[in-house]
Amino acid sequence: MVRSLFWFYAGFVFVSFASSLWLLLSSVLTVMPIPLPYWLLYTPGNIVVAGVVVAALMLALYTYLGVVLVLGKLSRGFVPITMVIAFVIGFALLLAGLAIPALVILVIAYVMLIGTYAVLISVATTRASKALWGVATIILTLIPPILIGGGLAVIDYVKYMAIIEQATTIIASAVEAWKLGVGQ
């Protein structure tokens, strides 16, 4: 069962790193005086499209994680599956123009994402990746209260926290993928 998690970790590293790299390169290259293809420009439309693609890929990865854990007789696999279902329902409600119910469901999905990180801590095979997933979970838990308490005054601080959270999850997944792919 743990061996089949290799594809989750490898996919997580690929999707997260690719999205971070695209955001970095497109933001830097857009201000350069060189012509770029439209899809590489740092425009709001391109950022939304990239976000939707990354969200869809991440939801597929979390679904895979949940299915692998459930098939491996670990009922905690229902946490990522529930998170994916809540996110899809919340996003559908948002597209339907029902902002308040969408917000409630998306808050539930966010809490389930924190639970999914806790599940990842529990199935990690190395102490380093457990620690990194733990740090990411703590950061993910602290972001909403800091944002609510500070409002727009702390938005840059929250962005840096999110970048650190994403970096720790990429490193934790890379450690796990390495361990599961090469170490066994």
Side-chain angles (χ1 to χ4, degrees), residues 93-177:
L93 289 171
L94 195 60
L95 290 176
L98 302 169
I100 301 301
L103 179 64
V104 170
I105 299 296
L106 289 173
V107 166
I108 292 169
Y110 190 82
V111 170
M112 296 305 289
L113 177 63
I114 294 169
T116 300
Y117 277 31
V119 168
L120 286 165
I121 293 169
S122 72
V123 297
T125 58
T126 65
R127 287 187 297 188
S129 61
K130 283 183 189 230
L132 289 167
W133 279 111
V135 167
T137 304
I138 291 168
I139 292 172
L140 206 59
T141 305
L142 292 176
I143 286 176
I146 290 172
L147 189 57
I148 291 170
L152 293 176
V154 295
I155 195 74
D156 287 334
Y157 181 69
V158 170
K159 285 179 187 177
Y160 293 127
M161 287 178 65
I163 290 168
I164 293 169
E165 180 269 331
Q166 186 175 20
T168 57
T169 58
I170 291 171
I171 295 169
S173 293
V175 167
E176 284 296 310

Side-chain angles (χ1 to χ4, degrees), residues 4-69:
S4 53
L5 288 178
F6 168 80
W7 293 111
F8 168 77
Y9 291 120
F12 194 94
V13 169
F14 178 75
V15 171
S16 297
F17 184 74
S19 69
S20 298
L21 186 62
W22 179 83
L23 286 171
L24 174 69
L25 287 178
S26 64
S27 65
V28 170
L29 292 178
T30 298
V31 296
M32 301 294 285
I34 57 174
L36 294 170
Y38 178 75
W39 59 269
L40 194 57
L41 293 176
Y42 195 69
T43 62
N46 285 348
I47 293 170
V48 168
V49 169
V52 168
V53 168
V54 168
L57 291 172
M58 292 305 278
L59 290 176
L61 284 170
Y62 285 129
T63 303
Y64 174 78
L65 171 69
V67 168
V68 166
L69 292 175

Side-chain angles (χ1 to χ4, degrees), residues 65-76:
L65 171 69
V67 168
V68 166
L69 292 175
V70 169
L71 291 177
K73 308 281 191 266
L74 293 173
S75 59
R76 61 191 129 172

